[in-house]
Amino acid sequence: MGNASEMVKQARILAQATSQLVNAIKGEAEESQDSDLQKRLLAAAKLLADATARMVEAAKGCATSPNDAEQQQKLRKAAEDLRSATNAAAQNALRKKLLIRLELAAKQAAAAATQDIAAAQKAGSSNTNPASQQELVNYCRETADLIPKLVQGIKGSMNDPDNPQSQLALISASQKFLQPAAKLVSSSKAAVPTVSDQATAMQLGNASKNLQSALGELRSAAGKAQEACGSLELDSAIETISQLDEHLKIIKRTAFESRLRPLPGETAEGSALKLGSTSKQVGSSMAQLLSAAAQGDDNYTGIAARDTANSLRTLAEAVRGVAATTEDREIQERIIEASRCVMSKSILLLEEAKKAVNNPNNPDNQRKLAQVAKAVSHALNDCISCLPGQRDVDSVIRVISSKSQELSYARYPETKKTFADVQLDLNNTAAILNEATGEVVTASQGPPAGLAHASEKYGDAYGDFMDSGMTIAGLTKEGELQGQMVTSMKNISMVSSRFLLAAKSVSADPNAPNAKNQLAAAARAVTESINHLLNLCSTSAPGQKECDSALRRIRAMRPMLENPSEPMNDATYYECLDTVMDNSKHLGVAMTGIANTAKKGELEDFGKAVKEVADAVCALIEAAAQSAYLVGIADSSSEAGRPGLVDQAQFARASQSIQTACQNLTNPASTQQQVLQSATIIAKHTSSLCNSCRIASSKTTNPVAKRQFVQSAKDVANATANLVKAIKVLDSDYSDTNRAHCAQATRPLIDAVDNLTVFASSPEFASIPAKISQEAKLAQEPITSAGKTMIDGSCCMITAAKSLSVNPKDPPTWQLLAAHSKNVSDSIKKLVTSIRDKAPGQRECDEAIYKINVVIKSLDHASLSAVGQNLAPRTHNSLQGFQEHMVSTTNEIMECVEDVRVSGRTEAERLGHYVTKLTVFLEPLADASIGCASKTMNTRRQMALLEQTKTVGECALQLVHSVKEGGGNPKATQAHEAIDEGADSLKESLNDLLDTLDEAATEAGAVTVMLDQINKAIIKTEDRAPARRDGAEERDFVEYQTNMTNSLKEISRVANDMVGKSTSDPSALSVLSHSMTTHYSIVATESRGAITSCGNPEIGQRIRQTVQDLGTACVHQVRCAGDVQNSPSDTFTQKELVESSRIINEKVTYVLSALQAGSRGTQACINAASTVSGIIGDLDTTILFATAGTLHPDKEQETFSDHREGILKTAKALVEDTKTLVAGAASSQEQLAAAAQSAVRTITRLADVVKFGAASLGTDNSEAQVLLINAVKDVALALGDLISATKNASGKNVHDPAMAGLKDSAKVMVTNVTSLLKTVKTVEDESARGTRAVESAISAINSELKSYESAEPPRRKAKAEDLINSTRPITSATARTVAAGNSGQQHDAIVAANMGRKAVVDMLATCKAVASSSENEESRQKLMAVGRDAAAQYTSLLQLLHEIMRDPSSPKSELIIVSRRIASSITELMQYAEYMQGERGAARSVVPLGAWHR
């Protein structure tokens, strides 16, 4: 919008095209024999013709009123309606065409991927980098798993092309294939430099290039097919789930007839695991569906519905496997019926989602969706509960729940046993229950039968323990203590249920993030609750129960050290070391306390010391387990993990910690310290979750996920704030009522955290955890063995201390205590030493330093050979091959630098992997550099290339030394500066080397490197995180748009230049191709930021799609340029280049159009500013008429009062529009556009009504007319400045300087509107008219002075003669002003004010224009100062006049004094102007400033 003539031109072209389409459709209808098809075609033709007629009508209106924004908006809407009608008319044909293209692209991609996988497998034997090969194998496996689904989708679409499900299946398979295949391409290219066999490396490189090209076509085809068929997703998903339900019916009937057999490879355990993991995928995809439907986003709702249907298909397959691998008819029937229930509830959910999307403003959408989603969740749980082992656990949970309810009745069993006997029974049953807990933990990771047996044993042990607990509670006479015992037993029931649920979860999906840690934590919670009850029931000697409790706690920590394959917490390696150091000191103090208090018989202090020992040992074991895990994943033989959008394990740990803390808050037995500690834990983890949500929201390109993460963070933050208020009230008064309120406040927080965790569990956001190798487990051994020794030693020590507390005089026991204490101390020393010695990355850094030194020596040796001209040519590759090898290797090193920097500063566990990855590419780089130099005849170039490569090696060596020093320790800040410096130096040296290689490739006419660069840029447009400049804040859309537009114009210019050079100078095509590659890389990089910041998902997708299409066109253009350069006389290639250039220009137009749609508000501001500028020009013309006395009213009898009300009303409306406009800077582009257009319409009306009002004053009051029009002109000027300020501030944060400028502009706007209102009220009052004119003139001159001082360029050009001429009206106006002051007449004052205002404003504009044209800075500054002084002096004169008009008795003598100052300023201004006029003479030399006064 904005260019009306262009819009009308394009509308004419569009109308001609649609007219042809209408005729074609009518022709097809006439030829058709099918009456139904004929009717549909004719209806489509009529729809299209009507839409065309509406657009033509809108185009006529736009042509008639080219400056009317409303007419332009109507034309735009008509064009959009026409596009919709065209899509509807040609939808089937278009869809078929796009799907045929997608089928071809999918075939090519599948074939290319197969070839790449074969080349990757062949490269395994000669790849010198095992880590690179392992990563390549993993991506090969992922891609290979998807190829059959892609082929199946192709076959389905070809066999049934009109079936929407077949179409969507192909689109879905293609889109899922893209990302893993793109990673395979990147991994293949990264592996090429380290493959020693040249033939294999070449085969792998070529295969990866072919796959990359095929993926580009597949990405484009799938995107366009998705646009055409996306609206069918929901209906197709519902139909798919209905078919699955029918399929389950058949399975049930087959099972009933005993004909259900397992498929090849199906096992009971594998099917059960598949069912458990798939149920979570279903829940996650439904969470995405709920978010998208609630937001009314039909595109992402369709995608989520498709994912849900796919997950349910896998669920149905798993159900069939479970039913087929069991002989139990009851299990078969139950699990199939439960899965059918899941299907039926899922269909209801999708139907509700469809209603929500169709009616997004319905307030009941959220509630209905939540209700149906809850029903689906229950159905999934019922389905999982049917699995063998799961049912047994559920039975035990029901028994526990029943026992828990019995506790409320306070029915204590009778017994003839003594209290001591019952207490002994309680201790024995506690030991059995604790043992059963460990067995459940072990069994949950084994076959279902083992879990069933272990959970049954746990249920029996729990029942015996509860019976003993109730018996001892019945024997307790103290009512308060009895109540505490019952409460403690209820707590045991609760934690037991949670423990068994965690065991169920691990059994169903052992690989779920943090599942094993949650089970271990639940097991420890059971132990803690048992200890609490035993402490209440124990009547043993002081210190005994503390020892027993400590022993149980410490022994419960042992499983953490058995196989530390998951993170225990979020601590880094060096934080673990700090924890070990701190707690080792606490343990030493506590051990001394045990000995001292036991010796003195201070048993109460003895119990405290034992508890402190247990606390310290538990903290040490947890830190040891976490550090062992970090050592394992840091080992070079382990497979490094890949980060996702969110760390799902961290979300799960935070959720677990928050739930545990909320339990402690609601536990009546919690002390004040425990409550405050729980509050701290909740605040810490909720803050961490909110921060993770903020980061995830900024990274994701999925608009639904972006909004959901923000909303989830708000929900968690609000629930936390409410809970903190409740905790503060509880802390002031620990009453039952306050505790109940606190418990109630925990529920919304737990719900919010649970919802967030479920939403974040989507595979789309998942990270891939590291896999610890057997070799790495050996590296863990010193840490875990030291931890186990500490557990054994501390248990023996506490057992000895327990005996001493009863008999402190027993020497052998003292010897035992001393021996065990020494063992504990030795184990701590061993633990500290092991953690320090096993610091991650140090060994890899030492190896890297050695390897880099070898590389540098080889380059030195090659340089010496080159100097002596003895460098033997390498024959195993060509010069171009060596250059391509160097470019790819250099790019791989470049991508490693930032990872090495970050890991060297804060991530010790990743340091070794990244340093190894960086180092492994240096040797191939050096070999390729030497090979390239050996093929270069120019000795200078040889030396330059080898020296640059050596510089890269030296910078890499510096970086590795600095990261070794930093070690990934966040506290080693003294090394961080060196790390940053090393990373920056390495990046700079790599860029220099790439520039040299680019220059050499350009000279040689090689295009392969440029094609790779463009293809890599296309892939990067899919990246989540926007590209940011180092150290820069996030930029706004306008900046991204500006940078992209500049590069797009360059691409278009280069494409046109290529056409000319193809015939005149083909050798220049390589330089132009390089320029096109560079600019496209900028466009692709900036597009990521533009997509993220535009705020509209549809426009974001449009930008991405058009940029990718442009990249594909650039690849073809560069390839054509290479062909022309190789065969300059081939006319066919020249024609192909011309056609490719035309396509590039077309694609550039599409990208620009998409960018303009993304900045609709900004564009509307530009258009509005242009319209306001036209209004100001029109007002200037009207002032000329008024000054000349020729501004007549339309009707002779008109009076100003006829217009006054209209002026006031419109001015007030403009104030409201101003508020909306200012608010629009922080709103969406659509809202900003609406605000700008509304403001323009209002100022247009205001200018018109003021002009009519001024005309009604009559030509006798010409000065009053000028006064009134000047007042509205000031408003228009202020509005123009405000619109510009709003445009600049759009999308910026509140602290940006542009926001301050916006506020200032808004204030000026309001001031000028107020001034207009005052003028309107006084313009007919002859006694106040002159005073008002003076006030208006002062305000206008001050406003012009601000513009004069600003950095904005002058609005026009001027010469020194113009400045001299502009001083004369000031002299006349000064005389008039002095005369008006002496006469005191209002008429004289208004004439003087109007004259002075115009004279000074014109002088300032001219003075700025003349000063800006001066090449001498000193002259420029001096002239600006003189002009400013003249305007200030005249303002003082007007202020004197204003005082005299308000108070005629004011002294008038000052008028002469100020007028003389004005005369002096004008004289000086003229002198400077005359000097500058002479300064431009060719013969005039520069004269010192002092000479101006001679």
Side-chain angles (χ1 to χ4, degrees):
M1 286 179 61
N3 190 339
S5 60
E6 182 64 23
M7 290 178 72
V8 173
K9 177 184 173 184
Q10 295 299 328
R12 187 181 300 112
I13 295 170
L14 185 57
Q16 291 170 354
T18 51
S19 176
Q20 293 173 2
L21 181 59
V22 168
N23 293 333
I25 294 172
K26 285 180 179 178
E28 187 177 346
E30 289 171 1
E31 294 174 3
S32 176
Q33 302 299 321
D34 186 340
S35 59
D36 289 339
L37 177 60
Q38 196 175 51
K39 288 177 183 177
R40 287 201 303 270
L41 288 171
L42 290 173
K46 183 178 185 305
L47 182 70
L48 193 57
D50 291 344
T52 305
R54 287 194 295 271
M55 188 198 68
V56 170
E57 196 63 34
K60 289 179 181 177
C62 191
T64 306
S65 306
N67 294 323
D68 191 338
E70 193 170 345
Q71 291 293 340
Q72 292 183 14
Q73 186 62 34
K74 284 181 181 177
L75 177 55
R76 179 182 173 180
K77 186 177 184 306
E80 288 175 351
D81 292 343
L82 178 57
R83 181 175 63 180
S84 302
T86 306
N87 287 339
Q91 191 172 27
N92 290 332
L94 179 65
R95 190 179 293 164
K96 283 182 181 179
K97 183 180 177 182
L98 292 173
L99 284 167
I100 290 171
R101 180 189 170 196
L102 178 59
E103 287 168 9
L104 292 172
K107 284 179 187 177
Q108 292 172 358
T114 305
Q115 291 173 0
D116 198 353
I117 290 169
Q121 290 172 342
K122 185 179 177 182
S125 58
S126 56
N127 193 341
T128 57
N129 183 1
S132 168
Q133 185 62 28
Q134 183 59 49
E135 184 182 75
L136 182 57
V137 168
N138 290 339
Y139 286 131
C140 285
R141 190 182 300 117
E142 284 183 35
T143 307
D145 290 342
L146 293 171
I147 290 176
K149 294 180 181 178
L150 185 62
V151 172
Q152 186 178 352
I154 297 169
K155 288 180 179 177
S157 178
M158 293 177 70
N159 294 335
D160 193 0
D162 296 326
N163 187 343
Q165 281 187 281
S166 301
Q167 297 169 356
L168 293 172
L170 175 58
I171 294 170
S172 174
S174 301
Q175 289 176 335
K176 287 185 176 179
F177 182 78
L178 284 170
Q179 191 174 12
K183 290 178 179 176
L184 174 60
V185 169
S186 300
S187 185
S188 298
K189 289 187 174 182
V192 168
T194 57
V195 176
S196 57
D197 184 71
Q198 289 301 315
T200 305
M202 186 176 295
Q203 183 183 358
L204 181 59
N206 291 335
S208 64
K209 289 174 186 175
N210 292 337
L211 178 56
Q212 187 176 51
S213 176
L215 288 178
E217 177 61 23
L218 180 63
R219 183 180 292 106
S220 176
K224 286 183 167 56
Q226 171 70 31
E227 287 179 12
C229 307
S231 58
L232 307 173
E233 294 274 21
L234 265 171
D235 292 331
S236 175
I238 292 172
E239 187 177 346
T240 300
I241 298 172
S242 300
Q243 291 174 356
L244 291 174
D245 188 40
E246 290 297 320
H247 182 59
L248 287 169
K249 269 188 192 177
I250 297 170
I251 292 173
K252 183 180 179 182
R253 187 165 58 248
T254 308
F256 181 76
E257 296 170 356
S258 301
R259 293 188 294 107
L260 189 61
R261 299 286 182 270
L263 298 174
E266 268 187 347
T267 61
E269 187 176 345
S271 297
L273 290 175
K274 185 178 180 181
L275 181 60
S277 60
T278 306
S279 67
K280 292 189 176 179
Q281 289 179 13
V282 173
S284 171
S285 57
M286 285 191 173
Q288 308 290 321
L289 178 70
L290 288 174
S291 299
Q295 294 174 22
D297 191 314
D298 55 346
N299 182 32
Y300 281 91
T301 302
I303 293 171
R306 181 189 68 202
D307 292 343
T308 300
N310 290 337
S311 298
L312 287 171
R313 180 181 285 109
T314 309
L315 182 79
E317 292 170 1
V319 166
R320 188 207 176 281
V322 171
T325 53
T326 182
E327 298 296 330
D328 191 327
R329 183 63 61 81
E330 184 186 353
I331 290 179
Q332 288 180 335
E333 186 172 345
R334 284 184 58 194
I335 198 165
I336 293 172
E337 279 303 314
S339 60
R340 288 195 63 201
C341 182
V342 171
M343 300 300 169
S344 62
K345 300 294 184 187
S346 299
I347 290 173
L348 289 176
L349 178 61
L350 291 183
E351 287 174 346
E352 283 297 331
K354 188 175 178 181
K355 291 177 186 175
V357 168
N358 292 334
N359 186 14
N361 298 321
N362 188 345
D364 290 337
N365 285 346
Q366 196 85 23
R367 180 182 58 80
K368 290 178 180 177
L369 285 169
Q371 285 177 349
V372 184
K374 191 173 286 186
V376 176
S377 181
H378 286 315
L380 280 170
N381 290 334
D382 291 342
C383 188
I384 297 299
S385 298
C386 296
L387 288 172
Q390 300 279 322
R391 291 185 305 156
D392 303 274
V393 177
D394 286 335
S395 299
V396 176
I397 291 173
R398 284 194 292 271
V399 169
I400 291 172
S401 178
S402 176
K403 280 276 186 187
S404 180
Q405 290 175 359
E406 290 177 10
L407 293 173
S408 304
Y409 302 134
R411 295 171 184 166
Y412 305 109
E414 296 181 1
T415 182
K416 294 181 180 179
K417 293 182 180 180
T418 63
F419 189 90
D421 290 339
V422 175
Q423 187 177 359
L424 183 61
D425 289 344
L426 184 66
N427 289 336
N428 291 334
T429 54
I432 295 169
L433 181 60
N434 215 26
E435 183 183 340
T437 303
E439 291 181 9
V440 170
V441 171
T442 305
S444 65
Q445 300 173 42
L451 178 61
H453 175 72
S455 59
E456 186 179 347
K457 182 178 178 181
Y458 184 89
D460 294 338
Y462 166 83
D464 295 339
F465 184 65
M466 287 292 104
D467 290 341
S468 298
M470 288 299 288
T471 302
I472 203 167
L475 295 175
T476 303
K477 304 302 180 185
E478 188 179 337
E480 184 179 350
L481 180 58
Q482 190 179 61
Q484 290 177 356
M485 289 180 179
V486 172
T487 301
S488 181
M489 283 186 277
K490 287 182 179 178
N491 186 52
I492 291 172
S493 300
M494 181 181 68
V495 296
S496 293
S497 296
R498 287 183 175 155
F499 166 64
L500 291 175
L501 287 172
K504 273 183 65 178
S505 179
V506 170
S507 176
D509 188 9
N511 297 319
N514 208 46
K516 293 174 185 174
N517 281 345
Q518 287 180 323
L519 178 59
R524 291 198 296 275
V526 171
T527 301
E528 293 286 347
S529 61
I530 292 171
N531 286 343
H532 185 262
L533 179 60
L534 292 178
N535 289 339
L536 289 173
C537 301
S538 177
T539 57
S540 57
Q544 297 295 296
K545 62 183 180 182
E546 286 85 354
C547 289
D548 291 337
S549 176
L551 288 170
R552 281 189 291 270
R553 284 183 62 199
I554 293 171
R555 286 168 182 157
M557 300 296 290
R558 181 178 285 274
M560 295 180 76
L561 297 172
E562 295 299 335
N563 183 23
S565 57
E566 286 187 350
M568 306 296 153
N569 48 49
D570 297 324
T572 64
Y573 192 81
Y574 288 96
E575 287 172 345
C576 290
L577 179 59
D578 291 342
T579 301
V580 169
M581 296 298 293
D582 292 341
N583 282 283
S584 62
K585 294 175 185 176
H586 296 156
L587 181 57
V589 173
M591 286 164 61
T592 305
I594 286 178
N596 292 338
T597 52
K599 188 181 292 183
K600 296 176 183 177
E602 298 171 350
L603 296 183
E604 187 175 340
D605 292 337
F606 172 82
K608 290 180 181 177
V610 169
K611 185 177 181 303
E612 288 173 2
V613 166
D615 290 341
V617 170
C618 289
L620 284 166
I621 298 304
E622 185 174 349
Q626 175 70 2
S627 58
Y629 165 75
L630 294 174
V631 166
I633 65 170
D635 192 274
S636 57
S637 62
S638 292
E639 190 178 325
R642 299 199 297 272
L645 184 65
V646 296
D647 185 348
Q648 294 176 341
Q650 184 242 337
F651 272 54
R653 288 195 298 274
S655 174
Q656 175 189 334
S657 299
I658 290 168
Q659 291 190 11
T660 303
C662 288
Q663 289 172 25
N664 293 336
L665 282 177
T666 56
N667 188 352
S670 298
T671 63
Q672 182 181 17
Q673 183 181 358
Q674 289 173 323
V675 167
L676 295 177
Q677 187 177 5
S678 298
T680 303
I681 291 171
I682 289 170
K684 172 188 170 185
H685 286 288
T686 52
S687 173
S688 172
L689 284 177
C690 291
N691 190 47
S692 297
C693 286
R694 180 184 60 79
I695 294 171
S697 176
S698 68
K699 285 184 176 181
T700 183
T701 56
N702 180 337
V704 172
K706 185 185 288 290
R707 289 191 286 265
Q708 184 61 39
F709 276 121
V710 171
Q711 186 58 48
S712 296
K714 287 179 181 176
D715 293 343
V716 171
N718 293 336
T720 304
N722 293 333
L723 179 57
V724 168
K725 290 178 184 176
I727 292 172
K728 288 180 178 178
V729 174
L730 177 64
D731 188 46
S732 62
D733 179 13
Y734 282 81
S735 64
D736 292 341
T737 304
N738 288 343
R739 200 176 285 275
H741 287 159
C742 194
Q744 191 174 0
T746 61
R747 292 191 194 103
L749 176 59
I750 292 173
D751 289 343
V753 172
D754 284 345
N755 292 338
L756 171 58
T757 307
V758 170
F759 180 79
S761 64
S762 168
E764 179 186 352
F765 312 135
S767 54
I768 297 177
K771 293 181 181 177
I772 298 176
S773 65
Q774 291 300 320
E775 186 180 337
K777 289 180 180 178
L778 294 176
Q780 293 176 326
E781 184 62 29
I783 296 175
T784 55
S785 63
K788 291 174 183 176
T789 304
M790 188 191 306
I791 289 175
D792 295 336
S794 57
C795 286
C796 293
M797 180 186 72
I798 291 172
T799 303
K802 181 180 177 183
S803 300
L804 282 177
S805 67
V806 178
N807 183 13
K809 303 294 185 182
D810 186 17
T813 308
W814 279 108
Q815 290 177 356
L816 275 175
L817 180 66
H820 293 314
S821 298
K822 184 176 183 302
N823 289 340
V824 173
S825 298
D826 290 344
S827 64
I828 291 174
K829 291 176 185 175
K830 183 183 175 186
L831 178 63
V832 172
T833 304
S834 299
I835 292 178
R836 280 182 173 157
D837 291 346
K838 293 291 180 182
Q842 295 300 306
R843 177 168 59 86
E844 289 83 357
C845 285
D846 290 334
E847 292 174 359
I849 290 168
Y850 173 76
K851 289 178 180 178
I852 295 172
N853 280 320
V854 171
V855 167
I856 292 173
K857 286 178 183 176
S858 69
L859 288 166
D860 283 336
H861 181 71
S863 296
L864 290 173
S865 299
V867 170
Q869 297 185 345
N870 296 323
L871 187 60
R874 301 287 178 95
T875 57
H876 60 269
N877 210 337
S878 64
L879 175 61
Q880 184 179 340
F882 282 126
Q883 288 176 339
E884 290 178 9
H885 207 162
M886 284 189 72
V887 170
S888 62
T889 311
T890 305
N891 283 325
E892 293 298 333
I893 296 173
M894 181 74 82
E895 291 185 4
C896 296
V897 175
E898 201 58 35
D899 291 332
V900 173
R901 183 212 297 261
V902 174
S903 60
R905 288 169 62 102
T906 57
E907 298 177 352
E909 64 276 10
R910 300 180 189 273
L911 178 59
H913 290 290
Y914 289 137
V915 166
T916 303
K917 187 176 179 182
L918 181 143
T919 309
V920 83
F921 291 113
L922 287 172
E923 186 178 349
L925 176 64
D927 288 342
S929 177
I930 294 169
C932 195
S934 72
K935 294 281 187 179
T936 304
M937 296 299 103
N938 188 317
T939 306
R940 184 182 61 79
R941 285 198 172 186
Q942 282 183 336
M943 292 303 300
L945 187 62
L946 292 171
E947 279 300 317
Q948 282 188 311
T949 310
K950 181 183 174 185
T951 303
V952 170
E954 290 170 344
C955 292
L957 184 63
Q958 177 192 351
L959 177 60
V960 173
H961 273 297
S962 58
V963 295
K964 182 178 186 295
E965 181 69 23
N969 186 357
K971 294 183 179 178
T973 52
Q974 70 281 359
H976 291 177
E977 186 176 346
I979 292 172
D980 290 338
E981 185 180 339
D984 292 340
S985 298
L986 180 54
K987 277 186 176 181
E988 186 178 345
S989 64
L990 289 167
N991 282 323
D992 290 343
L993 182 57
L994 282 173
D995 290 342
T996 301
L997 292 169
D998 283 347
E999 184 181 342
T1002 302
E1003 289 178 5
V1007 299
T1008 309
V1009 173
M1010 291 181 268
L1011 294 177
D1012 283 348
Q1013 192 172 341
I1014 296 174
N1015 281 318
K1016 193 173 284 188
I1018 293 173
I1019 292 172
K1020 282 186 177 180
T1021 59
E1022 295 286 348
D1023 287 357
R1024 286 190 295 260
R1028 295 191 188 179
R1029 296 169 180 164
D1030 293 343
E1033 293 183 359
E1034 188 174 357
R1035 296 174 284 161
D1036 63 348
F1037 182 84
V1038 176
E1039 188 173 350
Y1040 290 118
Q1041 181 189 21
T1042 303
N1043 294 339
M1044 288 180 70
T1045 302
N1046 292 337
S1047 292
L1048 287 166
K1049 288 178 180 176
E1050 285 299 309
I1051 290 172
S1052 183
R1053 182 189 63 78
V1054 169
N1056 293 330
D1057 288 349
M1058 280 183 169
V1059 175
K1061 295 294 182 183
S1062 65
T1063 54
S1064 63
D1065 186 9
S1067 61
L1069 289 175
S1070 57
V1071 177
L1072 293 171
S1073 296
H1074 182 261
S1075 176
M1076 178 175 284
T1077 302
T1078 303
H1079 286 295
Y1080 179 75
S1081 297
I1082 295 171
V1083 169
T1085 302
E1086 295 292 293
S1087 72
R1088 295 156 63 194
I1091 291 164
T1092 304
S1093 58
C1094 75
N1096 186 317
E1098 291 182 7
I1099 292 173
Q1101 181 58 32
R1102 186 176 160 196
I1103 292 172
R1104 180 184 288 110
Q1105 188 67 52
T1106 53
V1107 169
Q1108 289 174 352
D1109 290 347
L1110 174 61
T1112 305
C1114 286
V1115 167
H1116 189 253
Q1117 177 83 349
V1118 171
R1119 191 177 283 122
C1120 288
D1123 293 341
V1124 171
Q1125 198 167 1
N1126 293 331
S1127 306
S1129 59
D1130 189 343
T1131 56
F1132 177 77
T1133 55
Q1134 289 179 352
K1135 286 179 181 178
E1136 194 174 1
L1137 181 66
V1138 171
E1139 177 61 19
S1140 178
S1141 178
R1142 184 192 66 76
I1143 293 172
I1144 287 240
N1145 284 312
E1146 183 181 302
K1147 300 297 183 185
V1148 165
T1149 305
Y1150 293 158
V1151 180
L1152 289 170
S1153 174
L1155 289 172
Q1156 192 170 359
S1159 62
R1160 188 181 160 208
T1162 307
Q1163 189 62 43
C1165 286
I1166 294 170
N1167 297 340
S1170 175
T1171 305
V1172 170
S1173 179
I1175 291 170
I1176 293 168
D1178 182 52
L1179 290 171
D1180 282 333
T1181 304
T1182 308
I1183 289 172
L1184 290 176
F1185 281 109
T1187 307
T1190 57
L1191 185 61
H1192 300 286
D1194 290 343
K1195 299 176 184 177
E1196 292 186 4
Q1197 304 301 320
E1198 269 187 323
T1199 62
F1200 184 74
S1201 57
D1202 296 335
H1203 301 282
R1204 182 187 292 109
E1205 190 61 35
I1207 295 173
L1208 296 175
K1209 186 177 179 181
T1210 311
K1212 288 176 183 176
L1214 185 60
V1215 171
E1216 293 303 315
D1217 285 340
T1218 300
K1219 294 176 183 177
T1220 309
L1221 188 61
V1222 172
S1227 305
S1228 66
Q1229 288 285 312
E1230 286 75 12
Q1231 291 168 316
L1232 177 58
Q1237 290 163 1
S1238 177
V1240 166
R1241 285 195 294 270
T1242 308
I1243 191 64
T1244 304
R1245 289 201 308 271
L1246 181 62
D1248 289 342
V1249 74
V1250 168
K1251 283 192 293 184
F1252 290 138
S1256 69
L1257 290 172
T1259 54
D1260 296 338
N1261 293 317
S1262 61
E1263 295 300 334
Q1265 290 178 329
V1266 172
L1267 171 64
L1268 189 59
I1269 297 169
N1270 270 330
V1272 77
K1273 178 186 170 185
D1274 290 341
V1275 171
L1277 285 166
L1279 180 61
D1281 291 341
L1282 179 62
I1283 289 170
S1284 297
T1286 305
K1287 176 176 71 72
N1288 295 333
S1290 177
K1292 303 280 176 62
N1293 67 53
V1294 71
H1295 302 296
D1296 194 278
M1299 283 294 182
L1302 176 61
K1303 290 176 183 176
D1304 292 341
S1305 296
K1307 289 176 184 176
V1308 172
M1309 179 69 189
V1310 173
T1311 302
N1312 286 3
V1313 172
T1314 305
S1315 177
L1316 171 64
L1317 295 175
K1318 289 180 181 178
T1319 303
V1320 169
K1321 290 175 182 177
T1322 60
V1323 72
E1324 287 186 304
D1325 184 0
E1326 294 185 1
S1327 64
R1329 188 188 292 168
T1331 307
R1332 182 75 205 104
V1334 175
E1335 290 173 355
S1336 178
I1338 293 171
S1339 176
I1341 293 172
N1342 287 331
S1343 178
E1344 188 65 24
L1345 274 170
K1346 285 184 181 178
S1347 175
Y1348 183 79
E1349 297 289 349
S1350 70
E1352 292 180 8
R1355 292 189 286 267
R1356 64 190 182 195
K1357 292 183 178 180
K1359 299 177 181 178
E1361 304 92 272
D1362 298 325
L1363 180 57
I1364 294 170
N1365 293 334
S1366 71
T1367 60
R1368 292 168 188 150
I1370 296 181
T1371 304
S1372 302
T1374 303
R1376 278 291 188 122
T1377 305
V1378 173
N1382 289 325
S1383 69
Q1385 296 296 316
Q1386 291 287 333
H1387 175 73
D1388 293 341
I1390 193 171
V1391 171
N1394 287 342
M1395 281 184 66
R1397 169 188 173 131
K1398 185 175 187 312
V1400 174
V1401 168
D1402 287 347
M1403 181 273 293
L1404 287 173
T1406 308
C1407 187
K1408 185 172 184 178
V1410 173
S1412 67
S1413 65
S1414 174
E1415 296 178 0
N1416 188 312
E1417 178 64 25
E1418 192 176 1
S1419 300
R1420 185 185 303 120
Q1421 294 297 331
K1422 191 68 178 175
L1423 183 58
M1424 290 287 288
V1426 175
R1428 186 188 312 115
D1429 182 60
Q1433 295 295 343
Y1434 194 88
T1435 305
S1436 300
L1437 184 64
L1438 285 176
Q1439 287 170 344
L1440 283 174
L1441 176 60
H1442 185 253
E1443 290 177 12
I1444 292 169
M1445 299 306 297
R1446 293 181 64 184
D1447 182 8
S1449 63
S1450 299
K1452 302 175 183 178
S1453 56
E1454 283 290 321
L1455 289 171
I1456 300 300
I1457 297 172
V1458 175
S1459 66
R1460 287 174 180 165
R1461 290 180 194 154
I1462 294 172
S1464 175
S1465 296
I1466 293 300
T1467 302
E1468 191 175 6
L1469 186 63
M1470 290 175 70
Q1471 288 175 346
Y1472 287 135
E1474 288 169 357
Y1475 167 71
M1476 293 190 73
Q1477 185 177 11
E1479 188 184 39
R1480 290 188 175 86
R1484 184 76 177 263
S1485 60
V1486 177
V1487 179
L1489 287 177
W1492 290 1
H1493 299 285
R1494 293 175 189 165

